[in-house]
Amino acid sequence: MTTTTQPARPVILVVDDEPEILVALTDLLEDAFSVVSTTSPVEALEILAQRNDVDVIVSDQRMPEMGGDVMLARAREISDAQAILLTGYADIGAVAAALNQGRISFYSHKPWDPDALRAMIVQAADYHRLERELRTERQLLHGLLNNLRAGLGFKDAQGRFVRINRQAADFYDRDIADCLGQREEDLCDPVLLPALRAAEERMRAEGRDEAAVELPPQVGRAHGRWREFTRVVLEDGESPDVYSVVINRDITRQQEMEGRLRQAEKMQALGTMAGGIAHDFNNLLTAVLGSLELAHEMLPEDEGAVLRLLDNATAAARRGASLTRRLLNFSRPRDLSLEPIDVNALLHGMKDLLAQTVVSRQDKGLATPCSIVVDTAASDGALPPVCTDAGQLELAVLNLCINAVDAMPEGGVIRVSTALKRVREVVAGTNLVPGSYVMVSVQDQGMGMSEETLARVFEPFFTTKDVGRGTGLGLSMIYGFVRHVGGEVQVHSTPGAGTRVDLCLPVQDGTVREEKADGTVPSTMPDRPLRIMVVDDEPGVRAVTAGFLRARGHEVHDYAGGRAAVAALEEGGLGPLDLVIMDVMMPEMGGQETAHRLQAIQPDLKVLYLTGYANLGTLPKGGNVMHKPFTRAGLAEQIGRIMRGGAAAAPGGGEAGHG
């Protein structure tokens, strides 16, 4: 059952000093109205003071306490109800005065015509309801106009503003009064006219248009650089008048946040791609470096020319391994040695190192050489420690100073400074969350960067340097390192006015993240030969690993995948194994699953994982991990440590480093 709410009946206040008249009027009206009656005009005024729902007052003129016209004049001060005066012919003068002064809307003679009086009251009640609704709409509109943060304006069919709020008028640098009656194209900056006219055409064609507009600097300086304009045609289908509304609001912050988010997503995608490339390269380099090392040992010492060629190839492959490690530092968290660091002390300890970055320029005899100033005076004694990798932070500052030197062909001063930065709200698209950060700033007086260049500075392989002068990985490595310790890199640059790079590092929170082992153990192998299983889906890596082990006298059984390795151990023909060396990422059955199945067959089996690229968080805690590419000596050291039952080595060994 559906219940509908009926509109409240109009309220009529009847005032007459004769009770018989009140009864007659009540009988006439009570079927369609809510009737309130009184014989006293003084009491009528009290009723009006207490109630605001009275629509019509019907009052006699001649009453002993107060004349009807006087009572209605006073009622006008406290009520907006319509007024009807009942009078005899002798009171026509008072009635005319009341009409002229706006105290009453209608009057009726006594005795009245019931139908005429009733129609008069209905009309007065309808008029009052309409007037009240109109007043409410006007109040709501004024409230909206005055309190809306966006600019809002209403136009007539000719495009002239008929209503406009302060925010919209401010956009046109006018007062509200100066905007009324004017067209938008007469008020806006001339450079916006093409976009305005195109938007008006779309609105007329489709009834609505919404567009984001980037304002020229001279227009957007005081109003935000980006504005969103919404234009809508207002048609109710009944009125011949056609109005439109235009809303404009500042979306500069929203655009900036969206831009940061797109940049963060792009950097994440680039990191994922870089990691995948690095994985494949590490497999290739493992095979190349391992094969070169084995070939080098097979040749006699009198093959000097061939040995030199092998050394050249090995050096080139190692440079490739170094480049791949730099890609991985950008694409995923490296195994950082995190500890509380006094940033100011670290920077002062780098002064000699930083000075060396400008020596070559001074040797060229430039009239205006570069100089690097470490200035921490403003923050000395005020900076809390940060939890970071000291070596990586030094490398980041050094790279920034080298970039600054390259950006100042005419020489100048590079200033390295520190400050305490407090963030009070999450900054969208960045790593910055509420808290305190130590900010390390490197500022130069160089050429600066355009907005297009600034948007790409963290992309791997993007560089503005000449061919051969840079890999384009310096800033991307810094970006990866700082974000992996929970910080953020911010770059501020203006063409011709230099560049400032801020490294924001979160302050030490009282807990130090897990550090890597130092790896200072003897690098000798066990005395006896070992029975070792090698599992890797890359034939080149598998062959090199097996070759390293066989050269040491170990018994090696190698397999191309996890399923084959598990099946071989299940058959029992291999006998007990000392160690299994396997790749982490393999098709069909990954390294961890393979290890679990092998250890289910032989619980004491030790495992060494090889990885070209893997998130160490997905590996078993305390597991033995070695990064590709690696040397024979590095592999021997890892195996020796594992077989002696020592602590798990830091990921990487030999050439692996922390790739």
Side-chain angles (χ1 to χ4, degrees), residues 282-288 534-547 583 610 628 630:
N282 277 330
N283 279 330
L284 294 174
L285 290 168
T286 300
V288 170
V534 176
V535 187
D536 201 305
D537 62 305
E538 287 288 336
V541 177
R542 190 169 66 250
V544 164
T545 306
D583 191 18
L610 301 180
K628 304 173 186 177
F630 49 84

Side-chain angles (χ1 to χ4, degrees), residues 426-509:
V426 175
V427 181
T430 74
N431 247 15
L432 297 179
V433 297
S436 298
Y437 296 80
V438 171
M439 187 169 68
V440 181
S441 301
V442 178
Q443 184 168 10
D444 63 52
Q445 299 171 324
M447 299 175 290
M449 291 180 281
S450 65
E451 290 189 7
E452 293 76 12
T453 301
L454 198 59
R456 301 185 61 191
V457 290
F458 297 128
E459 293 182 10
F461 302 114
F462 175 76
T463 179
T464 57
K465 299 179 182 179
D466 294 335
V467 175
R469 294 197 59 198
T471 63
L473 285 174
L475 278 176
S476 64
M477 287 176 56
I478 294 171
Y479 175 88
F481 153 64
V482 174
R483 285 182 63 98
H484 291 326
V485 298
E488 186 59 63
V489 184
Q490 297 178 315
V491 183
H492 312 273
S493 186
T494 304
T499 299
R500 189 182 86 241
V501 181
D502 297 330
L503 309 182
C504 303
L505 304 168
V507 302
Q508 170 69 19
D509 60 1

Side-chain angles (χ1 to χ4, degrees), residues 496-569:
T499 299
R500 189 182 86 241
V501 181
D502 297 330
L503 309 182
C504 303
L505 304 168
V507 302
Q508 170 69 19
D509 60 1
T511 60
V512 180
R513 301 182 195 182
E514 184 179 353
E515 301 180 9
K516 64 175 183 178
D518 59 13
T520 56
V521 295
S523 58
T524 58
M525 289 287 289
D527 295 334
R528 66 177 179 85
L530 302 175
R531 296 171 56 82
I532 301 176
M533 174 184 286
V534 176
V535 187
D536 201 305
D537 62 305
E538 287 288 336
V541 177
R542 190 169 66 250
V544 164
T545 306
F548 282 166
L549 297 172
R550 290 187 178 112
R552 291 276 183 168
H554 301 298
E555 179 183 338
V556 181
H557 304 273
D558 58 286
Y559 300 92
R563 295 189 186 281
V566 173
L569 192 60

